[in-house]
Amino acid sequence: MSLLPTPYEFEKQYEDDEELATELPDRPITSLRDLQYLYGRLYTLATAGGGEYASYLTPEKSTDLFDEPESLAVLRVDLSGDEPRLDPEQPVQFRTYTRDLVEPVAHSWFNAARGFDHSITHRTGKGKDPEKIAEYLTERLTAWAADDVIQETVTDHEDGWIVEALAELGEQEDIDDRIQGAVEERLEGSTTALTTVAVKLEPDGEYRLPGACGSDVFNVAMRARKRSKLVSKGEATNSAGQATDLVTGSRGRTVGTAEDPLNYFLGKQLEKFPGFDPNEAWRTHPISEDVAVTLMNASTFVDACSYYTLESNVYYLPYFFGRITPEEARELYRMLHDVVVEDDLTPVEKVYKAYNRDEIHEELATRMRFYVAAVLKHQMKRFDVFGDTLDCTLFHPVGLASAHDAVTNSWVFDADATLPHSDVRPAMPTHENWEMLVADEEYLLGSITNGWYFRTTFAEPDDDQTASADDFRIQALVAALSGDPIPASTVLEEYVERLLDDEGEGFPTFRVATQYAQLCALAEAGLLDGEDESLTKATTYTDQSMTHTTDTRARADGGSDREKREAKLELFLEETPALSSENPERRGGFLLGVLVGQVTGYQQVSEGRSTTLVDQYPIKAITDTKVKRLTSDVIDKDVIYSRDKGLPSTMYGEVVDRIVETLPKVDADGGWSIDTSELRYYYALGVAYGMNNWTTSDEPTEDNEATESAEATDD
Amino acid sequence: MSRQSLASRDSNLGLPETCLSFEIRGPWAHFRRVEGNIVKQTYRIPPRTTVAGIVAAMLGLERDGYYDAFGPGSSRVAIEPVGELRTMNVPQNTLSTANEHLKTVPSRGHTRISMPDPTELRQQHNYELIVDPAYRIDLQLADDDLFERFRDRLESGTSYYPPSLGLSEHLAEVEFLGSFDVQEHDPETVRVDSAVVNATDSIEVEPEKRVRVERAPGYMAADEGGRTTTDFLSVGYSPAGESLLVADAATAHVDGRRVMFS
């Protein structure tokens, strides 16, 4: 549930262009801080109106607790007598946090690992046991009320005595035990809750929550506490000085340790500060107090636009290029609102859906940009950022999804595409359980942005619990989102590593096919980089039908099958730049794979053998030094089967002929120079191709020849 | 805002009509973005203040002593990326600068300095580095003496301090390209070869054409406690090192190129 007004309500409220323009930044967005400032402005515009403390509160942080049982833990403090005391009858009360309690609870969240929230109301971590809840409640008195900044602030407030009395109560000797006892009495199991106090100020009065107690002392203290964090954090105690605000460009008092919704800037790492002094942080990172509070308010939107994948947090923040117009601001609000209220889709999917439906948004879509970053958190406050960029467009992931969609719909993958003969299989196998081989563009876009697209094809790191700088999946993800190409050679290394992991349980045909569809899509989308152009160049399987067919005559010896297969192989080689005749090593590896796959298929179907050629020659057996010997072994095997079967010519002659023609070229070119993983990948691709290369007539029926003749006659 | 400020600057500059052009390049560069200290991301275009610092280093000017000479009224700089700007994530082992890991020497007395303790264990951090960066810089300086001294440095291929690209370990090569006349043009829609300064919203957006933007320190001033940035500049550029089409841009002609000075 969200507290944000609907896009319609927002639009109604800010329908005047001129008025809205005055509220928006007067500069184009050119940095992450600019973007956070814009988000903060939109958030404040949407939610302000709740009084002067509105921009300091963070009601959005706990909407997930609405209507949850035991989601509000209240310490009931009686301040109506001479001495502050816990309510004797019910010192602790558990309630259900509801929407109408937002203002009374007046929560101001603070992103600190071991600190407390700015407001007296503090949100616990997930699923805390009674002991921990009691500790949080006690800290309302001993930590919040007793805090130096808060104490100093309330001294000047007419109702400051309320906070002072709470601190005084916190000093009572056995207060923690009494609170713990009270909590244990009422809470079984664990809960996630806002912990707060309710105070009774009159002897016959009621217990009231901080924001409804009749005084603004709690909010004043909260504001002071929040402001204090702008100048003190970590080792910094008072980081403030006269400088130029890096967002607005105006000169004035700036603070150095403003909270950053993305935590890129913290006071901890002294090395960046002049003279190793965090108090000098404002010199390198000057932000005015107003801007600082606005940046904090960006966190609702920023958090909503992030998701977790591949052990990292991916941020995907939409905006419009240049200086934002009122129309764009309303549009951006709509997007952010939607991302906040529905959390099943990533921001890019939502925007894509909206723009795909609606052609009038074309102009907006052209100016649409995303800030993208993958953040790897090593510890709470030590993390690395990959591929952080402000300039992602919708085009890159959509382009990749659509390229993938096109290739899986081409004759290479799709059995429904027009093939030269109805009994010839597509070049690559597909299966409905392998989504990447059958999915539509929208599904693909989702899997690209949520990380699955590379998770399913790239090598899995040894330790998949810890994010690593070497995790190439993250780099590929960011590349797909930002349009920055990745090295083709690395992609192939990842593929082969994954295949080797898979290989224990039979040859991973569908994995190879999935990877190949992806490889083609990456090339088509311009996302592959490398010196060898034939590897990065797009294939031309764009047609749904094979471009040339052959006149196949009926032949009693099964030769018509050969011609059908040959036409397909020829076309595949022709339309695959990586396998052109100028690349005899890759082509040779592929053809060897085809033959192995083909013979394997024969062994399985006609011989009923459980151990096949592909088991004898797995991917890891293929190296440049062994490839020639393996080839001659495999051809020998093929010849023996042909003889056993009593065929007049060699089985799969169309492959053998090409192998015989191709491999000598490698020596003529000066020997093998191809990378092993490249050789292995194309070998694996060949195996997948060969294993899928059966025709109807390969089925082990007794009247094979008769069927074949009949079919051939039909042609 | 952008074009106005440029125009007003043009009219009050007492700058020579010539600029010095040089190319600066190296195997690596890291220009740390101000919005990160936990993360180590780099600007792709060296901030104007960094260019000033490089020139000052080559001239041997004193720390905090050159900001006026490179101020908005006394200098103009155009920066053009030469070729593609590519980055790489490079993990580096660094020493902790947390207080408890700092070593202060001598242990007592008035003049003490703190530094990371080299005997401590290293932490690995990811640095975003630019690979094989090269930039062409066009520089105008109002201070004739500095201008001539810098020309001498460029001509003789010497430098007072070794020039580097961002961090001291990323040493740079500098090649003098010559002195060129600067011919001003009235604002017009034109292809701009250099980085586009403070006019990013005037860049013509074309689908599938990559334009990048960043905002970095432009000018600095010294005060008693150190130095602060007095103005930040927004730049737009093509990561492929191509020219960008900019509407209504105030540009100058230098050596057959169109550049935007700041």
Side-chain angles (χ1 to χ4, degrees), chain A residues 27-28 30 33 235 244 246 264-266 269-272 283 369 382 384-386 388 484, chain B residues 32-33 35 37-40 89 97 99 124 126 200 205 210 212 214-215 223 225 227 230 234:
Chain A
R27 275 195 26 246
T30 51
R33 287 286 175 278
E235 305 292 339
T244 303
L246 69 84
Y264 288 2
F265 195 91
L266 293 170
Q269 303 229 328
L270 309 177
E271 151 257 2
K272 188 70 166 49
R283 290 186 183 278
R369 291 288 181 280
R382 192 172 87 75
D384 288 333
V385 173
F386 284 101
D388 141 272
D484 271 336
Chain B
R32 178 82 59 83
R33 295 215 313 247
E35 65 258 44
N37 67 335
I38 288 292
V39 302
K40 287 97 171 65
N89 291 308
T97 55
N99 251 6
Q124 196 165 74
N126 187 61
T200 52
V205 178
R210 287 152 78 200
R212 300 219 145 157
E214 57 194 35
R215 185 164 170 81
D223 57 32
R227 66 189 191 190
T230 54
S234 293

Side-chain angles (χ1 to χ4, degrees), chain A residues 26-34 235 242-249 251 260 263-274 276 280 282-286 319 321-323 366-367 369 371 375 378-379 381-391 393 395-396 469-470 475 482-485 529, chain B residues 1 32-42 44 63 84-87 89 91 95 97-100 102 114-116 123-128 198-217 221-235 237 239:
Chain A
D26 60 359
R27 275 195 26 246
I29 303 290
T30 51
S31 74
L32 176 59
R33 287 286 175 278
D34 289 346
E235 305 292 339
Q242 289 290 316
T244 303
D245 179 292
L246 69 84
V247 173
T248 61
R251 204 168 162 76
D260 167 11
N263 270 351
Y264 288 2
F265 195 91
L266 293 170
K268 198 181 164 197
Q269 303 229 328
L270 309 177
E271 151 257 2
K272 188 70 166 49
F273 305 132
F276 281 153
E280 299 293 316
W282 61 276
R283 290 186 183 278
T284 38
H285 193 249
Y319 71 103
F321 188 82
R323 185 178 160 172
T366 311
R367 297 182 67 81
R369 291 288 181 280
Y371 167 82
V375 178
H378 301 290
Q379 296 154 13
K381 289 186 178 175
R382 192 172 87 75
F383 47 80
D384 288 333
V385 173
F386 284 101
D388 141 272
T389 167
L390 258 181
D391 310 291
T393 69
F395 297 105
H396 300 116
D470 306 322
Q475 293 176 44
S482 66
D484 271 336
D529 211 5
Chain B
M1 170 183 119
R32 178 82 59 83
R33 295 215 313 247
V34 295
E35 65 258 44
N37 67 335
I38 288 292
V39 302
K40 287 97 171 65
Q41 307 305 103
T42 181
R44 305 294 199 271
R63 183 184 175 84
E84 201 179 343
L85 289 168
R86 189 164 64 88
T87 59
N89 291 308
L95 285 164
T97 55
N99 251 6
E100 59 272 27
L102 282 187
S114 289
M115 58 179 187
Q123 279 187 339
Q124 196 165 74
H125 278 282
N126 187 61
Y127 279 71
E128 186 188 39
N198 276 355
T200 52
D201 47 350
S202 303
I203 298 172
E204 303 278 337
V205 178
E206 299 155 71
E208 304 201 36
K209 174 142 192 172
R210 287 152 78 200
V211 177
R212 300 219 145 157
V213 291
E214 57 194 35
R215 185 164 170 81
D223 57 32
E224 306 94 60
R227 66 189 191 190
T228 56
T229 301
T230 54
D231 200 3
F232 293 85
L233 300 173
S234 293
V235 298
Y237 63 97

